[in-house]
Amino acid sequence: MSISVQSLLKIYGEQKAVDQISFEVGKGEIVGFLGPNGAGKSTTMKILTGYLHPDGGKALVCGIDVQQDPLNTKRKIGYLPESNPLYYDMYVREYLHFMADIHKVPDPTNRVIDVIDRVGLGQESDKRISQLSKGYKQRVGLAAALIHDPEVLILDEPTTGLDPNQIIEIRAVIRALGREKTVLFSSHILQEVEAICDRIIIINKGKIIADSTVSALQSANSRPVIRIQFQETLEAKLIEKAVKNLSSLEQINPREWEIIAPDLSEAKKQLLELAVSQNLNIISLQSENQSLEDVFRTLTGKVS
């Protein structure tokens, strides 16, 4: 396995930031690492990259124990931290040559040209880093993570600050990299994770609560919902009274509602009866499975 985490533990004071978690990621796999703020994502990534020492358990990269041989594991890893530290006074090419020298990259000139092209920095490559937009600074960080051609990429919020077009471009880069490398990345953009990942690991309060493919995760945890939109505004108590055995009712806007009930066909019938009795006009009425975002919120306790 390219990444192997075994009963990993990290404690800050009385808080277990990472509570004896275990998982593995194989070569050619793109895995999304998700969780609310403070769940333990960045702590786990910092332990994997040797920036933090665990209080228990093991982290192995390409079969090498990160604690026992940190220098050799760093040669195997390309790391883009959430903070993305850069030398703003340096030019883009100068900075990447500097990073190539640190890693003792053979033929650094061609390697710098290659990574600049790969992450789409061509037009900005002769500028100072301080002159770049936040999105292009993020690309410089990704280029630096790739400069030594690592086997494993660990990316903490890699698309932070990118516009929609840039996000699509970086997604394509990550997917291409996943064909030859192991990629573990965290993101708060669940549509991005759904578009890129082979598998998702969800961590909450230091513990792994889900580890599955996107489709399996949705099948196992998703509940069908009804979305109904009226032409008129109405109060929640009218729907609560009309729909028997209501599991959940959420107002999307004054005229649109999301409903979860054990029997969807019966709930739809009761909503139609409500519309007739209250002289309401229904603009749309449809049932669908919960989104990945809904599943995430349910698993992490953000909704009941």
Side-chain angles (χ1 to χ4, degrees):
M1 284 293 167
S2 296
I3 295 174
S4 179
V5 171
Q6 303 170 8
S7 302
L8 203 62
L9 176 68
K10 183 64 181 178
I11 302 172
Y12 295 110
E14 297 182 356
Q15 180 186 359
K16 291 182 179 178
V18 177
D19 191 0
Q20 296 185 322
I21 66 170
S22 299
F23 65 87
E24 292 184 336
V25 184
K27 185 176 180 180
E29 209 175 359
I30 304 176
V31 175
F33 197 39
L34 307 182
N37 289 333
K41 303 186 302 297
S42 292
T43 299
T44 302
M45 289 178 157
K46 287 175 182 176
I47 291 171
L48 276 168
T49 53
Y51 284 81
L52 283 178
H53 292 288
D55 294 308
K58 286 184 176 181
L60 292 89
V61 175
C62 300
I64 305 166
D65 191 306
V66 174
Q67 278 189 284
Q68 292 182 3
D69 195 352
L71 188 60
N72 205 16
T73 53
K74 284 181 173 65
R75 294 190 180 103
K76 305 285 186 180
I77 297 170
Y79 178 40
L80 176 60
E82 185 178 8
S83 58
N84 189 17
L86 298 169
Y87 293 111
Y88 282 10
D89 288 338
M90 297 181 79
Y91 291 89
V92 172
R93 287 181 185 274
E94 178 189 16
Y95 174 71
L96 293 176
H97 273 284
F98 170 67
M99 296 302 293
D101 288 341
I102 289 174
H103 287 286
K104 296 181 171 60
V105 173
D107 194 9
T109 300
N110 283 329
R111 183 59 186 164
V112 167
I113 292 170
D114 180 55
V115 295
I116 283 173
D117 180 63
R118 200 159 200 181
V119 303
L121 272 171
Q123 293 183 340
E124 310 295 316
S125 61
D126 293 320
K127 292 182 180 179
R128 287 186 190 272
I129 294 173
S130 60
Q131 296 175 305
L132 302 179
S133 67
K134 186 175 181 181
Y136 277 110
K137 287 173 184 171
Q138 200 71 359
R139 290 181 186 230
V140 175
L142 182 57
L146 291 170
I147 196 70
H148 57 298
D149 196 21
E151 295 178 41
V152 174
L153 278 175
I154 297 179
L155 312 175
D156 199 354
E157 301 288 342
T159 57
T160 297
L162 303 186
D163 65 37
N165 289 330
Q166 292 172 332
I167 287 173
I168 291 170
E169 291 167 4
I170 295 299
R171 280 181 190 172
V173 171
I174 293 172
R175 278 197 296 266
L177 292 169
R179 290 196 288 267
E180 58 191 68
K181 302 181 187 299
T182 301
V183 181
L184 177 69
F185 81 99
S186 70
S187 176
H188 285 99
I189 306 171
L190 298 185
Q191 298 93 330
E192 177 177 88
V193 172
E194 195 169 4
I196 296 174
C197 292
D198 306 308
R199 183 173 133 222
I200 294 174
I201 297 171
I202 299 178
I203 184 171
N204 190 36
K205 297 178 181 177
K207 290 183 175 290
I208 290 177
I209 57 172
D211 182 350
S212 182
T213 63
V214 175
S215 58
L217 189 64
Q218 287 183 298
S219 297
N221 297 281
S222 180
R223 294 176 291 175
V225 301
I226 294 172
R227 294 186 188 272
I228 185 166
Q229 184 177 4
F230 297 93
Q231 187 174 330
E232 302 81 7
T233 60
L234 71 160
E235 296 181 4
K237 63 183 179 182
L238 284 175
I239 298 177
E240 292 168 350
K241 185 177 179 180
V243 180
K244 312 302 181 194
N245 301 318
L246 191 66
S247 300
S248 173
L249 176 64
E250 183 178 350
Q251 187 176 28
I252 309 302
N253 59 56
R255 295 178 175 82
E256 189 173 359
W257 301 81
E258 182 179 279
I259 296 162
I260 298 176
D263 188 337
L264 290 189
S265 60
E266 184 65 22
K268 285 182 179 179
K269 179 182 175 182
Q270 291 162 353
L271 287 167
L272 291 170
E273 290 172 351
L274 169 66
V276 171
S277 66
Q278 298 295 319
N279 197 27
L280 300 170
N281 295 288
I282 295 175
I283 295 175
S284 66
L285 174 62
Q286 57 189 0
S287 57
E288 56 190 47
N289 284 328
Q290 288 179 299
S291 66
L292 180 60
E293 182 176 355
D294 293 327
V295 172
F296 173 82
R297 291 171 64 206
T298 300
L299 286 171
T300 57
K302 298 301 178 183
V303 295
S304 59

